[in-house]
Amino acid sequence: MWLQLRCGLEPRTLAALAVVLVAAGVFAAMHFWSTRPHSVRAPDPVNEAAHARTSTPTPPPDGAEAPEPSPGSPPATGPGGHIVVDVSGKVRRPGIRQLPSGARVADALRAAGGVREGADLTGLNRARVLMDGEQIVVGAPPGPLAIGGAGALAPGGGGGGSPAGPVSLNTATVEQLETLPGVGPVLAQHIVDYRAQHGGFRSIDELREVNGIGDRRFADLQPLVGP
């Protein structure tokens, strides 16, 4: 009213001036409040546990394949390998046997079912350590053939001569059987297979049941072989 009386302002003009003054005051107050200084909080120190969590790789999502490790050198072969030996002769289950490395002859005999009754174990060192690929013949008859193997022939005989003594059907190897007349590698293998399947020959007559041996060949082999 003082301004209205002093300056001669109309009521409408005075109201507009009051609104402008109030708006200016509000704007000034807001500007002052926004420009005042603020306190800033220092960041927390990073501890070792948080660093360990952030350094741990994140597992792949479901369905995603994990990265394969880089190829390295293969592991060295340890002492737990295996050996393969051939146990034949007067045992209950002759044939090929797989044994742990470092096994002895006694272990091979147990794996073959044990020795048959009456088998002569003289000269067989059951405490000897076995080697891979060797053959163990139980109850082999003493003689040039048992000592010298397939190459032990009669004196003065050549590579195709007759063996020095009867060839044991239960202990002879394929090479020893090939020294018999009319017996080649295939027939010798048939004899060994029959021996393994039937637990050995109990008599010479069983030789007739081997595939490839007829009456004529049996007559030629009968005086040269033994059970």
Side-chain angles (χ1 to χ4, degrees):
M1 293 180 63
W2 179 81
L3 288 175
Q4 184 178 6
L5 296 175
R6 182 73 176 176
C7 301
L9 297 177
E10 295 181 358
R12 182 179 300 177
T13 304
L14 183 61
L17 180 60
V19 171
V20 172
L21 292 176
V22 172
V26 173
F27 177 78
M30 293 178 59
H31 179 71
F32 173 76
W33 182 262
S34 62
T35 56
R36 67 183 180 85
H38 297 276
S39 59
V40 179
R41 182 181 178 183
D44 296 334
V46 180
N47 52 25
E48 296 181 358
H51 179 70
R53 288 194 299 269
T54 55
S55 61
T56 302
T58 305
D62 296 339
E65 296 182 356
E68 297 182 357
S70 59
S73 57
T77 303
H82 292 80
I83 60 173
V84 178
V85 296
D86 181 12
V87 186
S88 60
K90 296 183 179 181
V91 292
R92 291 185 174 86
R93 295 193 302 271
I96 303 297
R97 294 291 179 265
Q98 184 175 354
L99 301 172
S101 178
R104 301 179 183 269
V105 175
D107 300 326
L109 298 181
R110 282 193 294 269
V115 180
R116 292 184 180 180
E117 295 183 3
D120 186 11
L121 300 181
T122 304
L124 184 63
N125 184 7
R126 285 171 284 180
R128 179 174 57 85
V129 178
L130 296 171
M131 298 177 60
D132 184 44
E134 74 169 283
Q135 183 186 37
I136 305 169
V137 182
V138 180
L145 184 60
I147 299 174
L153 304 176
S162 300
V167 177
S168 175
L169 297 175
N170 288 323
T171 60
T173 63
V174 173
E175 292 78 9
Q176 292 172 349
L177 293 172
E178 290 180 17
T179 62
L180 296 171
V183 178
V186 177
L187 184 55
Q189 188 61 48
H190 287 171
I191 296 175
V192 173
D193 294 341
Y194 180 90
R195 179 177 68 196
Q197 294 172 3
H198 297 81
F201 290 87
R202 293 169 179 79
S203 66
I204 301 177
D205 293 336
E206 291 187 34
L207 195 59
R208 296 175 181 269
E209 303 178 11
V210 177
N211 184 20
I213 296 182
D215 294 338
R216 182 175 179 180
R217 183 163 295 174
F218 175 77
D220 295 338
L221 296 177
Q222 185 176 11
L224 303 177
V225 297

